[in-house]
């Protein structure tokens, strides 16, 4: 899921447009009643096919049960590339290829341990290293703990952090209905906490897991050291939400308690990996491309089911549903399984670089990286004309539960394609359960509901069908 404000995606303008002899079928952002009648039957067929002949659930079972976690640089990631290439060919895409990329290779090492004593009792703490962190010394770290609730509090610690373990205990704002907003409100402490307090001489950082719930599962995720010198790098780990709640309570009673933890993670040299790419060639405008994708990599604690196995299989099922319904897209529909979204965005960056180098014209992109729960709608990052066009399809999509079609981000992996003329769309399922599983050992195949997954595939296929048919792209009209 990426997904995160701290990634600071840079917009990349890369369209060197080729001469187009044909004009788009429509240059209007008005969706008429006549359009609705023509399209409603086709959208219904897409949903019927997904719900009765869909393949996404079994593809996901295969990916999660026979390969499992797929952190970039790992054996699982390498196997998933082979799996993805083979599956795209089986679906019958017109062409399938691999884009080589060098990706970060961070390994967790031995299972982490943490504990402290309180009132004569040893309290064991569920803990996991954050991706990109350095290890503790071989014997671990023991120190007093100082608690903060956010990055701003941490910035004001100064010498108070020296020799301490800084405990970031910023919880989700559970009054926010959209849980991704709650995540965005506190995830900066996970990514940037170590870079802030490392400068003050802190020994380590522990962070409350990024979840709405109170449970015993630590949630990993990326962290970074920014531009601080290497001698100021400190170990960073996440503790479970219940452990965070208890530690905060115990610190109020005993501010001098000693916290111990040990982790043996390390950063290895970059490894060779690949984006997996396949496409259905456009029947009228083959040089105009619409991307549909998610990220193939996952964190290492679970099976990468909701994040982002669901997005991968839904993206490929868009192509499958087109072929099953004999839909011949006007524009080229390109399915992309991006590598290394979780800890680097190398796949997305390389895809955009190659698109610019090859003078490719992208008119739209759709990303699924928010889990496989019940469809709710789409967020649209586009110029005003195309935003209004997509929103004019609400009447057609509402019967399928797709009521929320609003301006917003498209997604981390398609973000580098951003341009005034390209329409970026993020698939948005219900978010209430997503952070129960996100980056945790609980992100497993059994947490995915077959019908919800198939409804998502059909939702994505429907909006791609509409974008392919009606999307207006001024750049494509240039000589």
């Amino acid at each position: 899921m990426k997904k995160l404000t701290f990634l600071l995606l840079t917009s990349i303008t890369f369209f060197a447009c080729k001469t187009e002899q044909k004009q788009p079928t429509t240059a209007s952002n008005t969706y008429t009643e006549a359009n609705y009648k023509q399209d409603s039957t086709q959208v219904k067929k897409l949903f019927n096919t997904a719900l009765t002949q869909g393949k996404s659930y079994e593809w996901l079972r295969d990916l999660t049960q026979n390969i499992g976690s797929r952190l970039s640089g790992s054996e699982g990631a390498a196997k998933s590339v082979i799996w993805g290439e083979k599956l795209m060919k089986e679906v019958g895409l017109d062409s399938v290829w691999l884009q080589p990329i060098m990706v970060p290779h961070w390994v967790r090492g031995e299972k982490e341990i943490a504990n402290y004593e309180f009132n004569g009792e040893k309290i064991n703490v569920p803990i996991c290293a954050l991706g990109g962190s350095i290890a503790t010394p071989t014997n671990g770290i023991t120190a007093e703990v100082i608690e903060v609730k956010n990055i701003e509090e941490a910035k004001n610690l100064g010498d108070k952090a020296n020799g301490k373990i800084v405990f970031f205990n910023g919880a989700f704002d559970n009054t926010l209905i959209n849980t991704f907003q709650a995540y965005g409100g506190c995830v900066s402490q996970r990514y940037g906490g170590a870079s802030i307090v490392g400068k003050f001489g802190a020994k380590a950082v522990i962070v409350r897991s990024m979840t709405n719930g109170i449970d015993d599962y630590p949630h990993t995720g990326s962290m970074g050291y920014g531009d601080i010198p290497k001698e100021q790098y400190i170990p960073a780990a996440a503790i479970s939400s219940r452990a965070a709640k208890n530690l905060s309570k115990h610190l109020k009673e005993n501010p001098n308690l000693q916290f111990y933890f040990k982790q043996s993670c390390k950063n290895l040299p970059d490894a060779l990996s690949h984006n997996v790419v396949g496409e259905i060639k456009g029947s009228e405008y083959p040089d105009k491309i619409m991307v549909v994708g998610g990220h193939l990599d996952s964190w290492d604690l679970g099976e990468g089911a909701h994040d982002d196995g669901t997005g991968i299989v839904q993206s490929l099922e868009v192509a499958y549903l087109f072929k099953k319904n004999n839909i011949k897209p006007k524009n080229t529909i390109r399915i992309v399984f991006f590598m290394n979204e979780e800890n680097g965005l190398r796949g997305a960056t390389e895809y955009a670089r190659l698109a610019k180098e090859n003078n490719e014209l992208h008119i739209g992109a759709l990303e699924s990286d928010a889990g496989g729960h019940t469809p709710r709608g789409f967020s649209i990052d586009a110029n005003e004309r195309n935003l209004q066009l997509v929103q004019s399809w609400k009447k057609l999509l509402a019967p399928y539960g797709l009521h929320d079609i609003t301006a917003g981000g498209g997604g981390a992996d398609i973000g580098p394609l951003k341009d005034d003329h390209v329409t970026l769309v993020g698939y948005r399922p219900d978010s209430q359960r997503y952070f129960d599983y996100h980056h945790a050992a609980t992100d497993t195949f059994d947490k995915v509901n077959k019908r919800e997954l198939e409804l998502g595939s059909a939702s994505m296929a429907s909006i791609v069908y509409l974008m392919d048919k009606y999307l207006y792209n001024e750049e494509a009209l240039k000589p």
Side-chain angles (χ1 to χ4, degrees):
M1 306 224 109
K2 292 147 275 97
K3 314 171 201 175
L4 312 176
T5 56
F6 61 79
L7 290 175
L8 301 176
L9 291 175
T10 302
S11 297
I12 301 174
T13 305
F14 59 86
F15 294 103
C17 302
K18 299 180 179 180
T19 302
E20 289 282 349
Q21 301 302 320
K22 298 181 180 180
Q23 301 297 312
T25 301
T26 179
S28 170
N29 63 336
T30 302
Y31 190 70
T32 67
E33 188 66 24
N35 298 140
Y36 173 82
K37 290 179 179 178
Q38 292 170 3
D39 296 330
S40 59
T41 299
Q42 185 62 74
V43 169
K44 179 62 175 173
K45 287 180 180 178
L46 289 169
F47 274 86
N48 287 351
T49 306
L51 293 170
T52 59
Q53 302 176 58
K55 300 290 187 180
S56 56
Y57 192 69
E58 291 308 314
W59 292 341
L60 183 63
R61 185 197 303 275
D62 189 27
L63 177 64
T64 57
Q65 304 306 288
N66 294 324
I67 296 177
S69 65
R70 307 171 297 280
L71 189 58
S72 69
S74 70
E75 181 182 355
K79 288 180 178 179
S80 71
V81 169
I82 297 170
W83 173 90
E85 182 183 26
K86 180 174 181 287
L87 190 58
M88 283 190 184
K89 290 178 178 178
E90 288 177 356
V91 169
L93 302 189
D94 295 334
S95 55
V96 178
W97 68 97
L98 303 180
Q99 290 181 340
I101 46 173
M102 298 303 292
V103 297
H105 189 190
W106 177 86
V107 294
R108 183 171 301 280
E110 297 177 1
K111 183 174 175 57
E112 306 88 341
I113 57 174
N115 56 68
Y116 61 91
E117 285 194 7
F118 181 74
N119 288 343
E121 179 184 358
K122 182 178 179 181
I123 309 293
N124 291 315
V125 176
I127 191 169
C128 68
L130 293 177
S133 175
I134 63 171
T136 62
T138 304
N139 295 325
I141 288 175
T142 302
E144 291 184 359
V145 177
I146 184 167
E147 180 180 354
V148 295
K149 295 298 178 65
N150 51 52
I151 286 287
E152 292 307 312
E153 285 187 25
K155 289 178 179 178
N156 294 322
L157 285 177
D159 291 342
K160 293 178 182 178
N162 188 41
K164 303 287 183 64
I165 294 173
V166 179
F167 168 36
F168 285 85
N169 192 28
F172 275 28
D173 179 354
N174 278 333
T175 67
L176 295 173
I177 303 304
N178 185 331
T179 62
F180 282 90
Q181 292 180 359
Y183 176 71
C186 60
V187 73
S188 60
Q189 64 188 329
R190 187 196 75 201
Y191 188 79
S195 67
I196 298 298
V197 301
K199 295 181 292 189
F200 301 146
K203 277 193 171 183
V205 160
I206 54 175
V207 181
R208 181 192 183 107
S209 286
M210 300 290 108
T211 178
N212 299 85
I214 301 297
D215 60 32
D216 294 317
Y217 297 97
H219 295 230
T220 191
S222 287
M223 58 81 58
Y225 292 107
D227 57 0
I228 66 173
K230 285 191 175 181
E231 57 267 23
Q232 293 179 350
Y233 286 13
I234 57 176
I239 64 174
S240 72
S241 54
R242 179 171 286 118
K245 182 178 180 181
N246 290 336
L247 177 59
S248 181
K249 176 183 176 182
H250 293 159
L251 283 170
K252 290 178 175 62
E253 299 183 44
N254 180 10
N256 300 315
L257 68 78
Q258 298 281 308
F259 189 97
Y260 168 82
F261 81 102
K262 177 183 175 182
Q263 59 190 36
S264 58
C265 49
K266 64 176 68 174
N267 287 287
L268 300 175
D270 286 357
L272 175 65
S273 190
H274 302 82
N275 292 329
V276 185
V277 186
E279 64 185 24
I280 300 174
K281 210 68 175 174
S283 58
E284 294 183 42
Y285 312 111
D287 291 335
K288 296 197 300 184
I289 300 165
M290 292 178 53
V291 166
V292 184
H295 64 87
L296 190 53
D297 61 308
S298 76
W299 283 106
D300 57 318
L301 296 180
E303 297 170 356
H306 278 288
D307 189 19
D308 184 31
T310 55
I312 288 297
V313 297
Q314 287 173 328
S315 296
L316 185 55
E317 193 152 64
V318 170
Y320 169 80
L321 293 174
F322 269 47
K323 294 183 77 66
K324 288 293 288 185
N325 285 278
N326 200 31
I327 298 173
K328 293 178 172 52
K330 297 190 307 176
N331 307 286
T332 291
I333 307 298
R334 183 176 289 176
I335 312 302
V336 184
F337 295 173
F338 294 96
M339 181 55 70
N340 183 230
E341 186 273 347
E342 292 293 4
N343 59 338
L345 280 178
R346 300 276 184 89
T349 303
E350 179 65 3
Y351 180 86
R353 186 193 71 79
L354 289 171
K356 179 180 180 181
E357 182 180 284
N358 296 328
N359 292 328
E360 292 182 338
L361 175 60
H362 285 69
I363 65 170
L366 168 64
E367 181 169 346
S368 174
D369 187 16
H373 295 116
T374 302
R376 293 286 185 246
F378 303 94
S379 57
I380 316 299
D381 184 359
N383 60 40
E384 187 61 30
R385 182 169 197 159
N386 281 330
L387 173 62
Q388 290 180 14
L389 173 62
V390 177
Q391 290 180 323
S392 72
W393 302 331
K394 283 184 177 181
K395 179 182 177 182
L396 183 65
L397 299 174
Y400 304 95
L402 299 165
H403 299 283
D404 301 330
I405 303 178
T406 57
D413 280 311
I414 61 175
L417 295 172
K418 183 176 173 61
D419 179 88
D420 289 342
H421 304 289
V422 66
T423 297
L424 306 181
V425 179
Y427 168 58
R428 298 292 173 239
D430 186 87
S431 70
Q432 304 312 315
R433 290 170 285 163
Y434 183 66
F435 290 99
D436 293 349
Y437 317 125
H438 181 253
H439 295 180
T442 50
D443 187 11
T444 51
F445 175 71
D446 60 294
K447 307 302 191 306
V448 178
N449 177 273
K450 181 176 183 290
R451 185 171 177 85
E452 287 180 319
L453 183 68
E454 292 167 346
L455 287 168
S457 298
S459 299
M460 291 169 60
S462 296
I463 201 164
V464 171
Y465 161 77
L466 294 167
M467 290 169 68
D468 176 67
K469 189 173 181 181
Y470 298 109
L471 197 61
Y472 180 71
N473 185 272
E474 293 174 355
E475 193 77 356
L477 299 176
K478 290 183 178 181

